[in-house]
Amino acid sequence: MRRRPAFLDLRRLQGRIVALFLGLLLVIQVANFGFVRYALDRQAERTLDGELDVGRGILTILLQQRAARKSAAVELLAQDYGFRSALGQGLTRDEDLATLRDALDNHGKRIGADLAAYFDVGGRMLAAEGAAIGLQVLKFASDEGNDLQLTVIEGQLYQLVQVPVRAPLVIGHVVMGFKLDRDLLEQLLTLTNVGSLIQLRGSGSVAPPLVVEDAQLAFLQQTDGSGVDRDALNLLDADEGRLRARWVTLLPANASAGTPEVRALLWVPYRLTLRSFKDLQLALIGLNVLGILAFAVGAVLTARRVSRPIQALARSAERLGEGDYEGPVTASSDLSEVQELAQSLEHMRLGIRDREREVQRLAFWDPLTGLPNRVQFLQRLQPLQPTGLLMLNLDRFKHVNDVLGRDVGDQLLQQVTQRLQGCVGDEALLARVGGDEFAIAVPGGEEAPAMDLARRVLEAFEDPMCLGAQTVDVGAAIGIALALRHAREPEGLVSRAEQAMHAAKRTQAGVKVYDDSLDDRSRASLGLLSELRQAVEHHELRLYLQPKLNLRSQRVEGAEALVRWQHPVRGLVPPGLFIPFAEQTGFIRELSRWMLIESLRFAVQARAQGEVLRISVNLSTRDLLDADLPGKIQAWLAAEGGDPSLLCLEITESAIMDDPARALATAKDLAQQGFKLSIDDFGTGYSSLAYLKQLPVRELKIDQSFVFGMEADEGDREIVRSTINLAHNLKKSVVAEGIETQGALDLLAAMGCDEAQGYFIAKPMPADQFLAWARARAQG
């Protein structure tokens, strides 16, 4: 489909600029045309009103001239010698009156009079021809200011002429009346183009209309009947043409004399006057069209001038989007806004180019050691050639980071890099692929060269590293995988080498070559994780409790919570098979949540039955490093209706040492909420005393490894006694676990130990059996 021009496309800048400009122009032109049209109409009305004023004046003049002419004609009769002689002799006989009537009739016919009469000086009508005039003539004779000499007699409009008869004194008056005819109105139309009709208000029209047809005459009568009487009217003629009309009063009404108002309707057709205005309007329309076309062309040119540089900049932006940052962005317009936009795009290009180079460097190189990173390492392995891959993980690196600080840890990694570079040849590829993990690719794909290199690396790490004032011994675990033997793609080769590395670290073998059994164990671990998740969802976990005996009161006042897995196929799975795996995968947090909630429920139920017990629950390293743990436990307490006195939270020394600062912050939050804290397996760590004075713990739990041998081994016995004394001096209670004989129990009681637990007292039992066992023991 053919693409529309840009200036016609409203989705483009050109189209919107042209549409905006033309739209504004059209609005202005329409408003201007409407204003001009209104002004022309008003001017036409004023012109027509002026013509009506002229028509009214001409009509008055014509009536006055007509009266003058008729007066002159009647004057001839009044000055006739014979007529005056007959009147001077007196009108005493009937034949004299007949003679007078004949004279009036003859003379009246000669001058076109419709009626004639003679009155004596006393106002008596002595003779008359035509309509009876009576009082109307008297009224006319007495009116002053009736310049047009009009009067209404028997519903007819007359122009009367009254002339005195002198012999030589005034002996009477001759009055003649002339009906108004079409000639006068046609004469007015001929002189002024003003049409007219004369109407007796309320009595119908006297003279027939000249231009206006019967329908408009009826309208005039309706207008008259409704009482509308305006100076100016707008009417329509029979052809729907507009007329400008005006009423003109010729003779006011006289209520006392009973004569109606006489008025004339004057009108002028609009078409006669508007013809010149229409020509002007057409000229204006033509100018407007030309203006719109010129404006449209200007708008298109302006839009193109604005949009084309922007389109060029858009193409430059597309080039930047495609990754081409080398060509500069320039402006092809002198508009300052376009130049500013081009400068902004150029700054953006330079910034993106520099950042892209930095991203490329960070994406493929390790900034600390300068070695290739994991991404570059995998890319350089493709396509996979016969290669021996060594994956190396440092021992005790996390401890160095936590104890000596990250700056020292970074120095350690840099020195490790230098030693590794001294071990590998020019053909080997060395990369840092993780925090403390390094990879070495050795050409050849044979096991012997890879093993020789691994031994050289381990020998290089035998000498301690000097990090400022600190000397650090660092070991390593190395896993080896061989390309095309253990894997046929880079990712699989790295995965196999990492599995071998973890096996070497787990067995402390130093170096381990991959074999298929390692992969089987990995698949088994993944399957176990999936089943463990289902165990929580399907309620396969069971809460077990091992009693804790108060050695002073010989009463069971608490218990340690343990978990068992009732597998639908494997049966009862001991915790030693899934707890370590859960800790490695992070699923231990879900197990801890389950243990805390179930322990709370049991303690709340036991308290409802009159047994007050405190349940000890072990927190893992991941739990203790969770800053949200205190809030979560409080929410579980609120949900189960319990309180902190029902729980004792056991913390291992290893959990404290992984991240002392975070562990200490979480422990303090828990203690402030009222929970009793206990250090589990006390004495097996190597830095516990440094943190024991800071931790808000109220209980120490002696590890069973010391309790087992204290009856026969004096050293273990002294360790237990010293631990009890230390705890009591620090105002803390002591729990000994692993009690398997009466002798060990008695020895602990003699040493002042507070509580004890072990198989001699009771093995761990299902929670639903615990209360019955405790009551049976209490009863003896």
Side-chain angles (χ1 to χ4, degrees):
M1 184 175 64
R2 186 176 180 181
R3 188 175 181 181
R4 289 183 297 175
F7 63 86
L8 295 179
D9 191 350
L10 294 180
R11 295 174 299 179
R12 300 177 66 87
L13 179 61
Q14 285 191 33
R16 294 195 177 186
I17 291 177
V18 171
L20 177 62
F21 283 15
L22 290 182
L24 291 176
L25 179 61
L26 286 175
V27 170
I28 294 173
Q29 293 287 49
V30 169
N32 183 55
F33 185 79
F35 176 77
V36 171
R37 177 72 178 273
Y38 174 80
L40 291 178
D41 287 345
R42 300 287 79 76
Q43 182 61 36
E45 289 179 356
R46 287 192 290 270
T47 301
L48 294 175
D49 289 342
E51 293 186 18
L52 291 176
D53 289 338
V54 172
R56 179 178 60 184
I58 296 298
L59 177 61
T60 301
I61 292 174
L62 291 176
L63 289 172
Q64 290 173 347
Q65 289 178 348
R66 187 173 185 270
R69 289 197 305 273
K70 299 302 181 181
S71 295
V74 175
E75 186 73 28
L76 292 177
L77 174 62
Q79 294 177 359
D80 182 74
Y81 177 78
F83 183 71
R84 286 186 298 168
S85 298
L87 294 177
Q89 296 175 0
L91 301 174
T92 58
R93 296 176 301 170
D94 292 336
E95 54 269 20
D96 294 333
L97 293 176
T99 302
L100 178 59
R101 286 195 296 270
D102 291 337
L104 290 175
D105 181 56
N106 292 331
H107 194 72
K109 288 180 179 180
R110 286 200 306 272
I111 64 175
D114 296 299
L115 58 86
Y118 176 75
F119 295 84
D120 61 14
V121 291
R124 287 185 309 116
M125 184 176 65
L126 302 180
E129 290 294 332
I133 55 178
L135 295 176
Q136 289 87 348
V137 174
L138 295 176
K139 175 65 176 61
F140 168 77
S142 63
D143 281 345
E144 294 181 0
N146 189 357
D147 297 335
L148 302 181
Q149 301 177 3
L150 300 176
T151 189
V152 178
I153 301 173
E154 296 182 354
Q156 295 294 324
L157 180 63
Y158 292 87
Q159 189 172 31
L160 298 183
V161 175
Q162 177 178 297
V163 177
V165 179
R166 294 180 174 83
L169 298 177
V170 176
I171 60 175
H173 293 84
V174 177
V175 177
M176 290 191 179
F178 306 88
K179 290 182 180 179
L180 290 183
D181 52 17
R182 294 177 61 91
D183 294 339
L184 177 69
L185 303 182
E186 289 177 352
Q187 187 179 5
L188 174 64
L189 179 63
T190 302
L191 293 174
T192 62
N193 290 324
V194 175
S196 60
L197 65 83
I198 297 176
Q199 185 184 40
L200 304 182
R201 185 177 179 85
S203 301
S205 65
V206 175
L210 297 179
V211 178
V212 177
E213 299 295 335
D214 294 339
Q216 275 63 43
L217 177 58
F219 171 76
L220 295 178
Q221 293 172 343
Q222 292 173 4
T223 302
D224 179 70
S226 64
V228 177
D229 188 10
R230 292 176 291 177
D231 290 339
L233 298 172
N234 287 319
L235 306 176
L236 295 176
D237 62 16
D239 297 327
E240 299 296 323
R242 294 174 62 197
L243 302 174
R244 185 70 172 174
R246 176 179 297 173
W247 289 110
V248 177
T249 300
L250 302 178
L251 180 64
N254 192 322
S256 60
T259 58
E261 178 187 4
V262 178
R263 60 181 182 175
L265 179 66
L266 307 180
W267 65 84
V268 181
Y270 268 83
R271 61 179 177 271
L272 298 177
T273 303
L274 291 179
R275 185 172 299 154
S276 59
F277 291 119
K278 285 184 178 180
D279 294 338
L280 179 59
Q281 287 180 338
L282 291 175
L284 288 176
I285 292 174
L287 290 176
N288 287 338
V289 172
L290 292 176
I292 291 174
L293 292 176
F295 203 80
V297 173
V300 171
L301 295 178
T302 302
R304 287 181 176 177
R305 184 170 180 267
V306 173
S307 64
R308 284 182 175 176
I310 294 178
Q311 290 174 348
L313 294 178
R315 289 191 291 270
S316 298
E318 291 176 357
R319 177 169 53 83
L320 295 177
E322 294 171 355
D324 182 6
Y325 307 118
E326 299 306 321
V329 178
T330 58
S332 59
S333 172
D334 57 354
L335 294 175
S336 60
E337 291 82 358
V338 176
Q339 292 180 350
E340 291 175 1
L341 179 58
Q343 292 175 1
S344 299
L345 287 176
E346 176 64 10
H347 292 324
M348 183 180 72
R349 181 188 71 85
L350 296 175
I352 293 177
R353 185 192 64 183
D354 295 341
R355 285 191 292 273
E356 183 75 12
R357 291 175 179 175
E358 180 65 15
V359 168
Q360 289 288 330
R361 187 182 69 82
L362 294 176
F364 295 102
W365 297 92
D366 176 50
L368 179 64
T369 62
L371 297 176
N373 61 10
R374 188 183 188 95
V375 175
Q376 184 184 168
F377 183 75
L378 289 173
Q379 287 184 353
R380 293 177 66 174
L381 287 181
Q382 294 182 359
L384 191 61
Q385 302 293 329
T387 305
L389 178 61
L390 282 70
M391 294 294 294
L392 179 147
N393 181 263
L394 300 179
D395 293 334
R396 298 182 293 279
F397 174 73
K398 180 173 177 52
H399 180 69
V400 172
N401 248 358
D402 293 340
V403 175
L404 300 181
R406 295 190 179 275
D407 291 340
V408 176
D410 291 344
Q411 296 177 26
L412 173 62
L413 291 175
Q414 292 171 343
Q415 288 199 23
V416 167
T417 300
Q418 294 174 4
R419 293 196 181 186
L420 291 175
Q421 289 173 335
C423 295
V424 303
D426 295 337
E427 296 182 355
L429 175 60
L430 173 64
R432 182 187 176 200
V433 295
D436 59 346
E437 291 186 5
F438 294 83
I440 306 173
V442 182
E446 299 295 332
E447 182 176 333
M451 287 294 295
D452 290 341
L453 178 58
R455 292 190 185 97
R456 290 199 304 271
V457 170
L458 293 178
E459 290 174 0
F461 284 175
E462 290 180 355
D463 296 332
M465 296 184 182
C466 296
L467 305 174
Q470 302 290 334
T471 300
V472 179
D473 289 320
V474 177
I478 300 176
I480 299 176
L482 304 175
L484 306 181
R485 173 180 167 185
H486 297 141
R488 294 188 175 274
E489 67 281 341
E491 291 82 0
L493 183 64
V494 171
S495 175
R496 300 294 190 271
E498 286 179 337
Q499 291 180 40
M501 177 190 69
H502 291 310
K505 196 175 189 70
R506 185 169 57 252
T507 60
Q508 298 182 350
V511 181
K512 178 70 175 178
V513 180
Y514 173 81
D515 59 63
D516 293 340
S517 63
L518 297 177
D519 197 44
D520 293 338
R521 284 196 291 269
S522 298
R523 284 195 292 267
S525 297
L526 291 176
L528 185 63
L529 176 60
S530 177
E531 292 181 356
L532 189 55
R533 293 183 185 277
Q534 293 179 1
V536 177
E537 297 173 359
H538 297 167
H539 307 290
E540 296 174 4
L541 299 181
R542 301 291 182 266
L543 178 65
Y544 274 59
L545 298 174
Q546 185 174 31
K548 295 172 69 174
L549 180 66
N550 188 313
L551 296 180
R552 292 187 180 88
S553 65
Q554 293 298 308
R555 290 180 56 84
V556 176
E557 298 179 352
E560 180 178 2
L562 304 170
V563 63
R564 299 291 186 267
W565 181 4
Q566 187 65 47
H567 195 281
V569 177
R570 303 180 185 182
L572 193 63
V573 181
L577 294 182
F578 63 89
I579 293 296
F581 174 72
E583 290 178 342
Q584 294 175 7
T585 60
F587 193 73
I588 191 66
R589 286 188 177 182
E590 185 66 21
L591 289 182
S592 297
R593 183 190 70 84
W594 185 89
M595 288 284 292
L596 286 165
I597 293 176
E598 292 298 320
S599 299
L600 278 171
R601 288 175 180 171
F602 175 81
V604 171
Q605 293 172 3
R607 185 168 61 180
Q609 299 178 30
E611 299 292 339
V612 180
L613 298 173
R614 173 175 279 158
I615 308 302
S616 298
V617 181
N618 194 280
L619 298 181
S620 69
T621 302
R622 294 179 182 269
D623 294 325
L624 199 58
L625 298 182
D626 184 3
D628 297 329
L629 180 65
K632 293 177 181 177
I633 298 179
Q634 282 292 345
W636 299 332
L637 280 174
E640 300 300 332
D643 57 74
S645 65
L646 300 178
L647 292 179
C648 175
L649 304 179
E650 295 185 357
I651 304 170
T652 62
E653 292 184 81
S654 60
I656 299 172
M657 292 307 301
D658 277 353
D659 193 335
R662 290 174 62 185
L664 181 61
T666 303
K668 287 183 177 179
D669 286 346
L670 292 171
Q672 289 175 357
Q673 292 180 5
F675 293 102
K676 181 180 181 180
L677 301 184
S678 173
I679 293 184
D680 192 18
D681 299 335
F682 182 78
T684 59
Y686 48 87
S687 299
S688 60
L689 292 178
Y691 294 99
L692 182 60
K693 62 181 180 179
Q694 301 181 43
L695 286 170
V697 297
R698 293 159 55 189
E699 179 182 277
L700 300 181
K701 198 170 187 180
I702 302 174
D703 187 68
Q704 59 185 354
S705 62
F706 301 111
V707 177
F708 283 153
M710 71 176 183
E711 291 184 79
D713 189 311
E714 181 65 27
D716 287 344
R717 190 162 54 250
E718 288 302 322
I719 289 176
V720 173
R721 179 183 289 108
S722 300
T723 302
I724 294 173
N725 291 334
L726 173 65
H728 288 166
N729 290 334
L730 294 175
K731 309 300 182 184
K732 305 180 189 304
S733 62
V734 181
V735 178
E737 59 179 347
I739 310 301
E740 295 189 352
T741 64
Q742 182 66 48
L745 189 62
D746 294 340
L747 189 57
L748 287 171
M751 291 179 181
C753 184
D754 300 290
E755 292 182 317
Q757 69 180 83
Y759 279 15
F760 179 76
I761 300 171
K763 294 181 179 181
M765 65 189 73
D768 55 3
Q769 301 175 12
F770 185 85
L771 291 180
W773 176 88
R775 289 167 182 163
R777 178 182 175 87
Q779 292 175 359

